[in-house]
Amino acid sequence: METIIHLAIGMKYPIDIDSSKAFLKNSIMINHPRFCSLLVRDRSGREYWRRTEVDIDRHVIVLDAPVTTPDSHGSTAEAAVNEYLAGLAVSTPLSTEKPLWEIHVLRAQRCSIMRIHHALGDGISLMSMFLASCRRVDDPDALPRIPSGKSKQNQSGNERRRRRRNWGEVVWGILMMVWSNLVFMVDFVLRSLWVCDNKTAVTGGAGVELWPRKLATAKFLLEDMKLVKKAVSDATINDVLFGVVSLGLSRYLDHRSPNAVQEGLRLTGLAMVNLRDQQGLQDVTELMKNNSGTRWGNNFGMILLPVYYHKSGEDPLSYLKRAKSMIDRKKQSVEAHFSYKIGDLVMSLFGAKMACWLNYRILCNTTFAISNVVGPQDEIAFAGNPMTFLRANNSSLPHALAMHLVSYVGRADMQISVAKDIIPDPEFLAKCFEEALLEMKEAAAAITKF
């Protein structure tokens, strides 16, 4: 499917090209087999990796002049970078004559864009490698710190609830888990074949991956998201994120299609789930070991995350409560592992083309893609230059809407990539998401107050 991951890195100071290249030559990335191998085909068409020498100058593309496009004249640096990324998404494939990665340096905007083919790894692998090459600004010898998962308070609360359960509740819970898994797996199979969402103002489909793109950025404060999650017992940042997406999409559809969308209409999102035993970012040295239990590469499953359209006037926190209830059921299911095993089985029995077709079908039959990667909680530097932001997106998805959230130093930036002929105003959509979080924050503050 030629999916390419784009990581946009804002720099605090002007970028020194020579020092950046010298840093790259000694980085862990250059020493990784995938990053110094060509993707080649034998006479029968089978693809495999072949080691080669890496010429840094072929991989680092420097643009000294300010980035301008017909849509970005007179705009901010952020808008110009987004326009540049949108152009890369559909018009500039990676050359197979060199390893499948490159770095574009936009010197005028103080921004570097890492372009990495998805064949080299998934979001967790690649972010782990990137952060292993960085150091904290306040301690140049220390690696970046990543926030842990659940808080001790949540863990102790869950332990108390488990101890209070009687045998009847345990049996009932097991039966419900089995039933939920069956429902989720049947839903996944049907979505892979022919069942699809109803058409709305944000629906894509087959061929849309080739359409021109636009990008916008929705910006959130992690403190706001943490305040909102406290309003619902045991809620997580992912619950808040999906509640924000649910509310924001409802507001956007009210704007684009007033009175044209049926109440309760389902819009299905597709999310990628890390299947490694250790959740979150990984130790790169362990990932690179052949006998490691957590392997390098693409090790994720897919889950369907439905949201439902509701007209204005509903309590903003009700979106969070529905999101939490749905995600809690997904956590108890094996849907992500099931999707991975199905893809692996199809690959083994029918080959890569059939597996690709199956993945493409489920992308076409859902409305949007969403991901969330936890970033460092400290300010970090690459080649000695402190970063101001981290933003990610990817290309070649038939969705008209894809959202990728990355957190960094108390903020969370969500890159919104759209097919501009379907969603012409991604900036307004980003504003809908930002205002959705603020509405939830106000509702949560009112509950805390009383």
Side-chain angles (χ1 to χ4, degrees), residues 372-386:
N372 177 20
V373 176
V374 178
Q377 58 188 5
D378 306 296
E379 187 179 10
I380 62 175
F382 183 81
N385 197 344

Side-chain angles (χ1 to χ4, degrees), residues 246-247 249-251 253-254 257-265 308-316 318-319 322 439:
S246 304
L247 177 54
L249 281 177
S250 292
R251 296 289 187 267
L253 290 174
D254 279 338
S257 311
N259 304 317
V261 182
Q262 183 179 0
E263 179 74 13
L265 178 70
Y308 298 91
Y309 166 79
H310 294 279
K311 295 185 183 297
S312 301
E314 192 174 10
D315 176 18
S318 64
Y319 292 86
R322 281 192 295 267
E439 287 183 40

Side-chain angles (χ1 to χ4, degrees), residues 401-413:
L401 172 62
M403 297 163 283
H404 304 279
L405 188 83
V406 178
S407 60
Y408 176 58
V409 196
R411 303 189 310 275
D413 287 354

Side-chain angles (χ1 to χ4, degrees), residues 24-243:
L24 277 173
K25 288 179 181 178
N26 298 312
S27 70
I28 191 172
M29 184 172 77
I30 298 299
N31 295 317
H32 192 282
R34 292 280 177 93
F35 284 79
C36 54
S37 297
L38 296 174
L39 181 65
V40 295
R41 291 180 175 87
D42 59 22
R43 293 180 179 178
S44 61
R46 181 177 292 275
E47 297 172 331
Y48 64 96
W49 300 105
R50 188 179 70 201
R51 293 293 288 264
T52 186
E53 291 293 327
V54 175
D55 182 356
I56 292 292
D57 293 330
R58 295 183 65 200
H59 290 269
V60 178
I61 300 167
V62 181
L63 289 86
D64 291 305
V67 176
T68 56
T69 69
D71 296 328
S72 66
H73 285 298
S75 66
T76 64
E78 178 180 300
V81 171
N82 281 342
E83 286 290 339
Y84 187 79
L85 282 165
L88 290 176
V90 293
S91 62
T92 314
L94 289 168
S95 171
T96 56
E97 295 181 356
K98 61 184 181 181
L100 298 176
W101 64 274
E102 60 189 22
I103 299 176
H104 293 226
V105 181
L106 314 183
R107 299 187 74 172
Q109 281 78 23
R110 296 183 183 178
C111 179
S112 296
I113 298 169
M114 298 185 71
R115 305 188 71 219
I116 304 173
H117 199 290
H118 221 309
L120 272 60
D122 56 20
I124 294 296
S125 297
L126 298 175
M127 183 62 83
S128 298
M129 172 171 284
F130 172 71
L131 293 182
S133 302
C134 301
R135 294 296 182 269
R136 287 165 51 185
V137 171
D138 60 349
D139 186 356
D141 295 325
L143 289 170
R145 295 182 299 176
I146 303 298
S148 58
K150 294 183 178 180
S151 66
K152 293 182 178 179
Q153 182 178 1
N154 282 349
Q155 291 175 355
S156 61
N158 292 337
E159 289 292 335
R160 286 195 299 271
R161 278 189 291 277
R162 280 195 289 268
R163 285 196 294 267
R164 287 199 299 265
R165 287 181 176 178
N166 56 41
W167 281 107
E169 291 175 328
V170 171
V171 172
W172 178 251
I174 292 174
L175 291 174
M176 289 302 297
M177 183 174 64
V178 172
W179 172 251
S180 295
N181 274 298
L182 180 62
V183 171
F184 292 149
M185 287 187 287
V186 170
D187 185 23
F188 191 90
V189 171
L190 294 179
R191 288 272 163 180
S192 302
L193 298 176
W194 72 84
V195 175
C196 61
D197 287 346
N198 291 330
K199 297 290 184 182
T200 67
V202 296
T203 301
V208 172
E209 68 273 15
L210 302 176
W211 291 22
R213 294 271 150 178
K214 286 187 74 172
L215 266 73
T217 307
K219 301 176 183 178
F220 309 109
L221 292 177
L222 286 179
E223 282 302 317
D224 290 347
M225 301 183 86
K226 291 176 181 178
L227 176 63
V228 171
K229 81 183 184 83
K230 289 179 182 177
V232 176
S233 177
D234 295 332
T236 66
I237 293 295
N238 276 334
D239 298 333
V240 175
L241 170 62
F242 215 67

Side-chain angles (χ1 to χ4, degrees), residues 285-314:
T285 57
E286 288 298 316
L287 284 172
M288 292 175 68
K289 292 178 181 177
N290 291 332
N291 59 351
S292 172
T294 57
R295 68 177 180 82
W296 180 268
N298 289 282
N299 193 9
F300 63 86
M302 296 184 289
I303 60 173
L304 302 174
L305 294 175
V307 301
Y308 298 91
Y309 166 79
H310 294 279
K311 295 185 183 297
S312 301
E314 192 174 10

